[in-house]
mmCIF file of all heavy atoms in Angstrom:
data_model
loop_
_atom_site.group_PDB
_atom_site.id
_atom_site.type_symbol
_atom_site.label_atom_id
_atom_site.label_comp_id
_atom_site.label_asym_id
_atom_site.label_seq_id
_atom_site.Cartn_x
_atom_site.Cartn_y
_atom_site.Cartn_z
ATOM 1 N N GLY E 329 20.788 40.716 91.961
ATOM 2 C CA GLY E 329 20.444 39.669 92.906
ATOM 3 C C GLY E 329 20.714 38.269 92.411
ATOM 4 O O GLY E 329 20.648 37.322 93.195
ATOM 5 N N VAL E 330 21.026 38.093 91.137
ATOM 6 C CA VAL E 330 21.297 36.772 90.574
ATOM 7 C C VAL E 330 22.731 36.369 90.917
ATOM 8 O O VAL E 330 23.661 37.167 90.810
ATOM 9 C CB VAL E 330 21.090 36.773 89.042
ATOM 10 C CG1 VAL E 330 21.472 35.432 88.448
ATOM 11 C CG2 VAL E 330 19.632 37.104 88.722
ATOM 12 N N VAL E 331 22.904 35.134 91.326
ATOM 13 C CA VAL E 331 24.212 34.612 91.718
ATOM 14 C C VAL E 331 24.806 33.841 90.551
ATOM 15 O O VAL E 331 24.178 32.926 90.005
ATOM 16 C CB VAL E 331 24.098 33.707 92.958
ATOM 17 C CG1 VAL E 331 25.474 33.167 93.357
ATOM 18 C CG2 VAL E 331 23.468 34.466 94.118
ATOM 19 N N GLU E 332 26.016 34.209 90.150
ATOM 20 C CA GLU E 332 26.721 33.563 89.054
ATOM 21 C C GLU E 332 27.726 32.551 89.590
ATOM 22 O O GLU E 332 28.481 32.851 90.514
ATOM 23 C CB GLU E 332 27.434 34.609 88.194
ATOM 24 C CG GLU E 332 28.174 34.023 87.002
ATOM 25 C CD GLU E 332 28.948 35.077 86.227
ATOM 26 O OE1 GLU E 332 29.791 35.768 86.850
ATOM 27 O OE2 GLU E 332 28.719 35.208 85.024
ATOM 28 N N LYS E 333 27.727 31.351 89.000
ATOM 29 C CA LYS E 333 28.649 30.289 89.390
ATOM 30 C C LYS E 333 29.381 29.801 88.149
ATOM 31 O O LYS E 333 28.758 29.232 87.241
ATOM 32 C CB LYS E 333 27.889 29.124 90.039
ATOM 33 C CG LYS E 333 27.170 29.492 91.336
ATOM 34 C CD LYS E 333 26.445 28.281 91.903
ATOM 35 C CE LYS E 333 25.724 28.627 93.204
ATOM 36 N NZ LYS E 333 24.998 27.462 93.754
ATOM 37 N N LYS E 334 30.682 30.025 88.110
ATOM 38 C CA LYS E 334 31.493 29.583 86.979
ATOM 39 C C LYS E 334 31.991 28.163 87.219
ATOM 40 O O LYS E 334 32.450 27.827 88.310
ATOM 41 C CB LYS E 334 32.671 30.531 86.770
ATOM 42 C CG LYS E 334 32.261 31.947 86.354
ATOM 43 C CD LYS E 334 33.473 32.803 86.061
ATOM 44 C CE LYS E 334 33.038 34.198 85.612
ATOM 45 N NZ LYS E 334 34.219 35.072 85.306
ATOM 46 N N ASN E 335 31.892 27.359 86.186
ATOM 47 C CA ASN E 335 32.336 25.980 86.286
ATOM 48 C C ASN E 335 33.849 25.884 86.198
ATOM 49 O O ASN E 335 34.507 26.744 85.595
ATOM 50 C CB ASN E 335 31.695 25.139 85.180
ATOM 51 C CG ASN E 335 30.198 25.027 85.345
ATOM 52 O OD1 ASN E 335 29.682 25.096 86.465
ATOM 53 N ND2 ASN E 335 29.490 24.855 84.240
ATOM 54 N N PRO E 336 34.444 24.852 86.791
ATOM 55 C CA PRO E 336 35.912 24.737 86.783
ATOM 56 C C PRO E 336 36.526 24.612 85.393
ATOM 57 O O PRO E 336 37.705 24.924 85.211
ATOM 58 C CB PRO E 336 36.170 23.476 87.621
ATOM 59 C CG PRO E 336 34.949 23.316 88.463
ATOM 60 C CD PRO E 336 33.817 23.827 87.634
ATOM 61 N N ASP E 337 35.748 24.158 84.399
ATOM 62 C CA ASP E 337 36.326 24.002 83.066
ATOM 63 C C ASP E 337 36.613 25.335 82.388
ATOM 64 O O ASP E 337 37.299 25.381 81.362
ATOM 65 C CB ASP E 337 35.410 23.154 82.185
ATOM 66 C CG ASP E 337 34.009 23.765 82.054
ATOM 67 O OD1 ASP E 337 33.767 24.861 82.610
ATOM 68 O OD2 ASP E 337 33.165 23.126 81.395
ATOM 69 N N GLY E 338 36.075 26.439 82.925
ATOM 70 C CA GLY E 338 36.327 27.759 82.355
ATOM 71 C C GLY E 338 35.569 28.041 81.077
ATOM 72 O O GLY E 338 35.829 29.062 80.423
ATOM 73 N N MET E 339 34.609 27.186 80.697
ATOM 74 C CA MET E 339 33.884 27.360 79.444
ATOM 75 C C MET E 339 32.386 27.495 79.625
ATOM 76 O O MET E 339 31.662 27.568 78.647
ATOM 77 C CB MET E 339 34.173 26.169 78.510
ATOM 78 C CG MET E 339 35.595 26.128 78.016
ATOM 79 S SD MET E 339 35.997 27.585 77.010
ATOM 80 C CE MET E 339 37.744 27.304 76.703
ATOM 81 N N SER E 340 31.914 27.527 80.849
ATOM 82 C CA SER E 340 30.484 27.659 81.093
ATOM 83 C C SER E 340 30.255 28.235 82.472
ATOM 84 O O SER E 340 31.145 28.216 83.334
ATOM 85 C CB SER E 340 29.770 26.300 80.951
ATOM 86 O OG SER E 340 30.273 25.383 81.903
ATOM 87 N N ARG E 341 29.065 28.740 82.684
ATOM 88 C CA ARG E 341 28.661 29.305 83.968
ATOM 89 C C ARG E 341 27.153 29.133 84.114
ATOM 90 O O ARG E 341 26.421 29.048 83.121
ATOM 91 C CB ARG E 341 29.043 30.772 84.050
ATOM 92 C CG ARG E 341 28.323 31.657 83.039
ATOM 93 C CD ARG E 341 28.940 33.038 82.953
ATOM 94 N NE ARG E 341 30.193 33.018 82.212
ATOM 95 C CZ ARG E 341 30.960 34.094 82.023
ATOM 96 N NH1 ARG E 341 30.606 35.258 82.544
ATOM 97 N NH2 ARG E 341 32.073 34.006 81.332
ATOM 98 N N CYS E 342 26.703 29.061 85.368
ATOM 99 C CA CYS E 342 25.285 28.902 85.669
ATOM 100 C C CYS E 342 24.848 30.012 86.613
ATOM 101 O O CYS E 342 25.671 30.682 87.246
ATOM 102 C CB CYS E 342 25.007 27.531 86.285
ATOM 103 S SG CYS E 342 25.362 26.130 85.173
#
Side-chain angles (χ1 to χ4, degrees):
V330 176
V331 180
E332 181 184 56
K333 297 180 180 179
K334 295 184 179 180
N335 294 332
D337 58 2
M339 292 297 176
S340 61
R341 64 192 76 182
C342 296

